[in-house]
Amino acid sequence: DVKVTQSSRYLVKRTGEKVFLECVQDMDHENMFWYRQDPGLGLRLIYFSYDVKMKEKGDIPEGYSVSREKKERFSLILESASTNQTSMYLCASSGQGVSNQPQHFGDGTRLSIL
Amino acid sequence: KNQVEQSPQSLIILEGKNCTLQCNYTVSPFSNLRWYKQDTGRGPVSLTIMTFSENTKSNGRYTATLDADTKQSSLHITASQLSDSASYICVVSTIRETDKLIFGTGTRLQVFP
């Protein structure tokens, strides 16, 4: 089974801090994604990556950056955390080249910015 | 604008009963439609993926249908169990950007004994 592991289930940070969320997948997937999930809203794509050192902006990239130095690891960075970035963050991965492959999700990091 | 709308927002049923969740979409051009199950505090898990040519697809007690002409899908759960309590999310992708998924807001299902 595909396993996508997010480093923290719960995280509390202060406004202005630089925050790192880590995600690792064990299936040699080329594609990796970061989403945020808020009540009443569907999952929204922040950034995604098709390959090592590649990144593409999603629908809501403002205030975030990403890093993909190794194929299995995709990091989301909040450059200067703000209270409106309090949310559930979900990482996902999928294989390359087949449009009907499911995205496999981690269990999320619930981030609170105080 | 590409959108996915689900109904109802929430649903309560008794264990053993059947239920049907609805999904309408305005995504174009259509590539595929997915149903995910998300347990509380967990990430979504894929149930089914259907392309334009598929009308129905089953995964155990879950059966998804797709009408690409009316842009509607449904997820039917048969003989519900307590473990079916979860949010069910309908997701659509376009041919142009098959990995940029468009998510519905989900239906919250609660199954009571």
Side-chain angles (χ1 to χ4, degrees):
Chain A
D1 271 355
V2 175
K3 191 159 180 65
V4 178
T5 303
Q6 296 184 229
S7 54
S8 304
R9 292 298 303 274
Y10 300 94
L11 208 52
V12 180
K13 296 291 182 180
R14 295 208 174 273
T15 303
E17 280 193 70
K18 191 169 186 176
V19 181
F20 294 85
L21 302 184
E22 306 288 344
C23 175
V24 176
Q25 50 94 3
D26 67 356
M27 281 303 291
D28 201 36
H29 281 167
E30 289 81 4
N31 306 327
M32 295 190 75
F33 310 83
W34 275 106
Y35 296 91
R36 64 179 282 176
Q37 185 175 32
D38 299 291
L41 301 175
L43 272 73
R44 294 180 291 168
L45 181 64
I46 305 171
Y47 267 97
F48 60 105
S49 169
Y50 286 139
D51 202 349
V52 175
K53 297 194 184 295
M54 275 195 57
K55 60 182 179 182
E56 297 282 344
K57 290 181 180 179
D59 299 318
I60 52 165
E62 296 78 19
Y64 303 95
S65 63
V66 290
S67 172
R68 191 151 181 216
E69 297 296 320
K70 294 185 178 181
K71 190 175 186 180
E72 68 271 18
R73 186 180 297 271
F74 193 34
S75 303
L76 179 70
I77 304 155
L78 284 66
E79 297 291 343
S80 178
S82 63
T83 55
N84 63 13
Q85 292 178 310
T86 291
S87 186
M88 169 72 91
Y89 289 87
L90 290 160
C91 175
S93 72
S94 68
Q96 182 74 297
V98 180
S99 64
N100 294 336
Q101 283 202 16
Q103 289 188 10
H104 299 269
F105 287 84
D107 281 336
T109 295
R110 188 166 292 281
L111 175 65
S112 295
I113 306 297
L114 304 179
Chain B
K1 183 181 176 183
N2 289 329
Q3 279 188 317
V4 176
E5 294 185 351
Q6 294 185 242
S7 62
Q9 279 191 323
S10 61
L11 184 61
I12 297 174
I13 61 173
L14 294 176
E15 188 179 13
K17 299 295 185 183
N18 303 335
C19 68
T20 300
L21 314 180
Q22 301 291 344
C23 174
N24 296 336
Y25 61 92
T26 58
V27 178
S28 182
F30 174 85
S31 176
N32 60 66
L33 184 144
R34 311 162 187 222
W35 283 95
Y36 280 84
K37 178 187 179 189
Q38 184 175 21
D39 293 319
T40 301
R42 306 296 297 272
V45 174
S46 178
L47 293 175
T48 63
I49 298 177
M50 288 186 293
T51 61
F52 183 89
S53 60
E54 295 174 297
N55 294 325
T56 184
K57 203 160 202 179
S58 291
N59 179 355
R61 294 179 297 101
Y62 301 102
T63 300
T65 64
L66 174 64
D67 185 334
D69 291 332
T70 62
K71 299 187 176 181
Q72 295 180 326
S73 175
S74 64
L75 181 70
H76 186 75
I77 304 174
T78 303
S80 61
Q81 300 176 359
L82 298 179
S83 59
D84 292 330
S85 294
S87 287
Y88 292 85
I89 305 172
C90 177
V91 187
V92 181
S93 70
T94 73
I95 291 172
R96 293 196 191 101
E97 297 178 303
T98 53
D99 280 312
K100 287 187 74 174
L101 307 179
I102 300 147
F103 290 80
T105 55
T107 292
R108 176 73 185 158
L109 174 66
Q110 293 177 277
V111 181
F112 285 103

